Amino acid sequence: MDSTLNLPTEEDLELVEFAQRVVETNGDGEVHTVGAAVRDAQGRMFGGINLYHFTGGPCAELVALGHARAAGARDLTAIVAVGDTGRGVLAPCGRDRQVLLDYHPGIRVLVPAADGIRSVAITDLLPHAYVWGEQSAASDGALCSAAIQALHFHPTYLDAVRTGRKTTTVRFRDPVETGPVNMVFELDDEVVLSGVVTGITSKSVAELTEADAIADGFRDLAELQDRLRFHYPDIKSTDAVAVVHFRLAR
């Protein structure tokens, strides 16, 4: 068995059942034949159903992504599609795989395998993928470079990021999205590391934990709180922050 395939968790099986209910309740056997469900980091599930059309209607997975976004979900962790008439779990098409990789590179996908349902990272489901955003067509037909978001770091964090000791960063009033990122360290000779923002968790400063501090490369929560006050002098315990999860690009 491929080592990238994991057994489904209980939450994964609940997600499959949710998608099955979506298509059983709303399918019509003609234009609505596949249901999908996506789960966010808080365990919330959002459904979607496909809309077949000869011009290229949206797949169920894309509808589920839109539903989650409209409900305020940002950090998506798993997705599955289920066919009507007892067809079971379906693997996403090529377009869906590219969309998932571009917008949610940390998501896992439930797929059918010879020995049952399995969970696989989207990066393993679509290896050697086209990197959307490196080049885009300009209105005059010429090619231009598309901007990749930048995440600026204090230079003292460079070694911690390079060695993997720091895999998150807490941000205040600094919008960040999942996807490719240039991590910029403002030294005399600027250092830029390519990475991927894999997830974003929102919480208040008071809700930060010792685990958050360790993942951020600090000894304990007190040190993390001290550095937050250093970077953001006006921050308060009730303020909302974003815990940004990232990894270096392979």
Side-chain angles (χ1 to χ4, degrees):
M1 184 178 67
D2 190 334
S3 61
T4 63
L5 298 177
N6 293 346
L7 289 169
T9 64
E10 288 187 10
E11 286 185 329
D12 289 338
L13 296 178
E14 290 176 359
L15 194 67
V16 173
E17 292 177 1
F18 186 83
Q20 183 70 56
R21 289 196 299 272
V22 168
V23 71
E24 288 178 352
T25 303
N26 303 291
D28 57 12
E30 296 180 1
V31 298
H32 303 293
T33 58
V34 177
V38 63
R39 184 176 68 241
D40 72 359
Q42 286 72 49
R44 297 178 298 172
M45 296 186 292
F46 305 91
I49 195 163
N50 77 307
L51 176 63
Y52 174 78
H53 193 268
F54 72 91
T55 61
C59 296
E61 293 95 325
L62 302 186
V63 177
L65 291 181
H67 182 189
R69 181 75 184 190
R74 300 292 185 268
D75 187 4
L76 306 183
T77 60
I79 191 169
V80 66
V82 176
D84 63 356
T85 64
R87 288 183 291 150
V89 172
L90 305 175
C93 71
R95 179 181 65 165
D96 292 344
R97 297 182 191 203
Q98 186 70 57
V99 170
L100 287 167
L101 181 66
D102 290 337
Y103 289 106
H104 302 284
I107 203 168
R108 296 192 68 84
V109 185
L110 298 174
V111 297
D115 47 359
I117 300 170
R118 293 295 183 265
S119 169
V120 60
I122 186 59
T123 50
D124 292 325
L125 194 59
L126 190 63
H128 314 297
Y130 170 77
V131 180
W132 178 78
E134 285 191 342
Q135 289 185 326
S136 61
S139 58
D140 61 358
L143 291 178
C144 63
S145 296
I148 294 178
Q149 66 177 329
L151 198 55
H152 291 261
F153 289 83
H154 193 277
T156 56
Y157 300 134
L158 177 58
D159 287 342
V161 172
R162 273 180 167 163
T163 59
R165 184 164 51 86
K166 179 179 176 68
T167 57
T168 69
T169 178
V170 178
R171 297 296 166 124
F172 176 52
R173 296 173 181 166
D174 185 7
V176 182
E177 296 184 352
T178 55
V181 64
N182 287 328
M183 296 183 286
V184 181
F185 298 83
E186 297 163 340
L187 299 157
D188 292 336
D189 293 323
E190 186 177 81
V191 176
V192 179
L193 302 180
S194 295
V196 177
V197 174
T198 58
I200 302 168
T201 304
S202 297
K203 57 176 63 179
S204 70
V205 173
E207 292 173 327
L208 293 170
T209 65
E210 293 286 342
D212 291 325
I214 298 301
D216 210 338
F218 298 106
R219 293 188 300 271
D220 52 33
L221 182 57
E223 185 179 11
L224 170 58
Q225 298 279 14
D226 182 64
R227 293 301 290 178
L228 284 176
R229 288 189 292 270
F230 170 77
H231 293 302
Y232 310 109
D234 62 339
I235 198 168
K236 301 178 181 64
S237 62
T238 55
D239 284 328
V241 294
V243 180
V244 180
H245 304 259
F246 62 85
R247 63 170 173 80
L248 293 176
R250 296 172 182 171

